Amino acid sequence: MSRKQDHLYTEFDFTLPRGLIDSQNRVHRHGKMRLATAKDEILVQKERKVQETPAYGDLVMLSRVITRLGSFNTVSLDVLEGLLLHDIAYLREFYNRINQQGNIHIPTQCPHCNTQFSVELELAEKP
């Protein structure tokens, strides 16, 4: 008797509403975020910058769980500091949805016509 194998997906694709513009004027909007671990939470709290300025907590956590943003294969705190607040808010919501709520729909807005709609989060890898 064969059993259907369950797959646990731990990495998810995202597209930033605005994107990061690098020094060569390229826009980076597409990325991947992995699920957070208990170790991530602990290491964020130990981070000196977070202890000095608690507002850095979200950015430090995002820098740990974002595995790719455009052509950046590592996403540092410095890279995230260059994002517009609209994109940071999107990443916070995305993080919360995949790590806590389990809801696979996220509200978004077209940057060109401002139409609001809901987007289904797609898994980075499909069976």
Side-chain angles (χ1 to χ4, degrees):
M1 172 185 255
S2 82
R3 272 188 339 164
K4 183 179 176 184
Q5 192 173 21
D6 290 331
H7 295 279
L8 175 63
Y9 295 99
T10 60
E11 194 169 69
F12 301 85
D13 290 324
F14 65 83
T15 302
L16 294 175
R18 304 270 194 255
L20 175 72
I21 299 174
D22 67 17
S23 61
Q24 296 175 348
N25 222 25
R26 294 176 299 194
V27 179
H28 303 270
R29 293 184 61 216
H30 303 284
K32 291 182 185 266
M33 183 184 294
R34 67 171 173 78
L35 293 176
T37 65
K39 185 176 182 178
D40 291 323
E41 290 281 340
I42 292 166
L43 293 176
V44 166
Q45 296 306 313
K46 288 183 175 183
E47 185 76 32
R48 182 184 55 80
K49 203 160 198 171
V50 174
Q51 291 174 354
E52 292 172 1
T53 310
Y56 270 101
D58 287 348
L59 287 181
V60 172
M61 177 59 82
L62 289 171
S63 73
R64 293 190 59 80
V65 298
I66 296 173
T67 59
R68 185 180 60 74
L69 178 57
S71 63
F72 295 100
N73 288 327
T74 57
V75 180
S76 68
L77 187 58
D78 291 336
V79 167
L80 292 179
E81 286 174 337
L83 286 174
L84 297 172
L85 290 179
H86 189 76
D87 286 332
I88 293 295
Y90 176 89
L91 289 170
R92 284 180 184 138
E93 179 69 18
F94 190 87
Y95 173 91
N96 287 335
R97 295 286 172 115
I98 67 172
N99 282 286
Q100 297 165 3
Q101 298 173 359
N103 188 343
I104 61 169
H105 289 87
I106 187 168
T108 192
Q109 182 174 352
C110 175
H112 303 289
C113 68
N114 294 325
T115 301
Q116 294 184 346
F117 55 96
S118 180
V119 174
E120 184 176 354
L121 298 180
E122 293 189 21
L123 301 176
E125 302 170 325
K126 295 195 178 206

